[in-house]
Amino acid sequence: MAAGELVETAAACDEADELRAKRAEFVLEPETVYLDGNSLGALPRSVAGRLADVVEREWGRGRIRSWGEAGWWTAPERIGDRIAPLVGAAPGRIVVGDSTSVNLFKAVVGAVRIAREEAPGRTEVLVDAATFPTDGYIAASAARMTGCAIRPVAAAAMAEEAGPATAAALVNHVDYRTGELHDLPAITRGLRAAGVRTVWDLCHSAGALPVELDAHGVDFAAGCTYKFLNGGPGAPAFLYVNEAVQGRFDSPLPGWNSHAEPFAMASDYTPAQGPVRGRVGTPDILSTLALEEALRVWEGVDIAAVRAKSLALTDFFLRCVAEYGPGEPRLRSLTPVAHERRGSQVALVCEPAEDARPALEALAERGVVGDFRHPGVLRFGFTPLYTSFRDAERAARALGEVIR
């Protein structure tokens, strides 16, 4: 297909896009194609004003009163309920706070402890073999703390590899490097049949595609909010605890914020009920309330429409790369073609690998912002709320020019 036809196709797709009005709610320069929202989402326009109000009025004039009057104290659960429909959870199952790493640590230890109550002989934790490195570090530390062995296993093989000694499994929903989407329903179902408690990392899926945590019986999940949820750099993460295990969740990080009566200042710890049990210390109010405001862009948005656009965008980008690019062996996609196995990014292997980083730098000079991972992988994240089909066409055309 000629370049002119691809431009026309992009324009037609943008015109038909039911989410196109959302782009105006973000701070984006028209000359820039931003395809790194899978690392840091764009800034929603209303966040700056909200933060100014929090600093000047709630903190500046309200001071300590704002913990109650401005709702600071209940923010972690309130914002968790805003995230809940985006990951298929009912209200009262998600709490916001801490980092993904900290929440995964709580979840893995909590999952092992529950499994051990049911079968004391369970002494193994499975971890996704291709996991983001920090997840592996956290899983190994949680295993040491609970007296378990750690065993890396490919996500697709988790269920068949699990056995009577397996206590918990930590799995990534989307592979951060390749963009491959793992089968959460089937893997969870298989692990549950083996008596294994599940912990899912949703960093690359929350806000990009339907997750349905409740429907599929996931025990625990955690994810960041600064990628597809656009919460800002270092925004607090979230922790999901299935209602069926909330009363049995024994967090390894009990803090005064998760106490049943936090202001009693009791020397003995009595855990609160519900998602509050996932809290630890005083929440970071500025970043937490920035996240709350950022989540307003999701009002009226159907996550199914987000998924449909994500697949259409990545399909179109791959089509444009094939048209504009030099083809194999210079560029080849690591991201699965099948929709049921694709997240919301496209990862391209550049050959030779040492050309990848200079290619990314040359793309940036042309106004296209992507991402790099060793060895020689170019990553392009597609955030359906603000990425257009014209963006996809421009990026692919610039990539072809750079590689050639």
Side-chain angles (χ1 to χ4, degrees):
M1 180 178 288
E5 293 178 80
L6 289 173
V7 172
E8 291 174 5
T9 299
C13 289
D14 284 333
E15 181 63 28
D17 176 19
E18 64 180 279
L19 297 174
R20 66 183 182 278
K22 284 291 173 182
R23 183 180 175 99
E25 297 183 34
F26 292 86
V27 176
L28 295 163
E29 305 82 13
E31 68 275 10
T32 300
V33 175
Y34 187 67
L35 298 182
D36 206 8
N38 53 333
S39 291
L40 177 64
L43 170 67
R45 290 187 181 277
S46 65
V47 170
R50 173 64 177 129
L51 268 182
D53 183 60
V54 171
V55 171
E56 294 169 8
R57 181 177 60 85
E58 295 183 6
W59 180 14
R61 296 195 293 278
R63 291 178 288 274
I64 196 70
R65 297 190 305 274
S66 289
W67 282 105
E69 293 176 4
W72 289 1
W73 185 261
T74 57
E77 293 76 50
R78 183 176 71 243
I79 301 169
D81 285 346
R82 277 188 171 271
I83 293 172
L86 301 178
V87 293
R93 305 196 180 170
I94 292 179
V95 65
V96 164
D98 301 315
S99 65
T100 304
S101 301
V102 172
N103 285 328
L104 286 175
F105 180 74
K106 299 174 200 171
V108 174
V109 173
V112 170
R113 288 174 173 173
I114 291 171
R116 286 271 185 79
E117 288 177 359
E118 299 163 340
R122 293 186 180 272
T123 57
E124 175 184 72
V125 173
L126 301 183
V127 64
D128 183 346
T131 192
F132 186 74
T134 295
D135 289 25
Y137 310 153
I138 290 293
S141 179
R144 289 194 302 273
M145 180 176 179
T146 55
C148 289
I150 190 84
R151 183 157 65 98
V153 174
M158 282 276 185
E160 63 185 68
E161 287 286 337
T166 310
L170 172 57
V171 201
N172 290 84
H173 197 193
V174 174
D175 187 304
Y176 79 99
R177 185 169 169 271
T178 67
E180 180 178 4
L181 173 66
H182 295 135
D183 191 342
L184 182 147
I187 294 171
T188 302
R189 187 167 57 249
L191 289 169
R192 189 191 311 117
V196 178
R197 295 295 173 173
T198 53
V199 181
W200 283 86
D201 181 331
L202 307 181
C203 283
H204 287 270
S205 57
L209 51 93
V211 181
E212 301 301 333
L213 295 174
D214 284 352
H216 299 302
V218 169
D219 293 306
F220 296 91
C224 64
T225 62
Y226 50 78
K227 298 181 190 293
F228 294 105
L229 295 179
N230 311 296
F238 64 89
L239 172 67
Y240 164 88
V241 185
N242 192 301
E243 187 177 39
V245 298
Q246 283 184 359
R248 302 169 64 193
F249 174 36
D250 181 10
S251 173
L253 296 173
W256 79 286
N257 257 235
S258 63
H259 197 285
E261 296 184 57
F263 292 99
M265 301 300 171
S267 57
D268 294 330
Y269 179 74
T270 302
Q273 297 304 307
V276 179
R277 192 173 288 204
R279 292 172 68 157
V280 184
T282 306
D284 183 334
I285 289 300
L286 296 183
S287 62
T288 298
L289 297 185
L291 168 62
E292 182 174 35
E293 184 63 31
L295 290 169
R296 294 187 188 280
V297 300
W298 290 94
E299 292 175 359
V301 173
D302 181 357
I303 194 68
V306 170
R307 176 59 169 165
K309 183 179 176 184
S310 165
L311 292 171
L313 275 169
T314 48
D315 277 344
F316 182 63
F317 179 70
L318 286 168
R319 177 177 163 193
C320 290
V321 169
E323 180 68 28
Y324 292 136
E328 293 195 23
R330 294 303 310 282
L331 283 178
R332 61 182 175 82
S333 178
L334 283 177
T335 306
V337 173
H339 283 183
E340 67 272 15
R341 295 182 55 220
R342 187 193 309 166
S344 200
Q345 74 177 50
V346 172
L348 301 174
V349 175
C350 181
E351 297 289 354
E354 56 266 25
D355 283 355
R357 192 180 289 278
L360 194 68
E361 293 169 355
L363 280 175
E365 292 173 1
R366 288 166 168 78
V368 177
V369 180
D371 190 37
F372 169 81
R373 287 291 181 270
H374 290 285
V377 177
L378 299 173
R379 297 193 318 167
F380 302 95
F382 292 82
T383 307
L385 292 189
Y386 56 77
T387 305
S388 68
F389 289 86
R390 177 64 173 141
D391 286 338
E393 187 276 332
R394 282 180 57 194
R397 181 153 40 90
L399 178 63
E401 293 169 357
V402 164
I403 296 298
R404 276 196 297 272

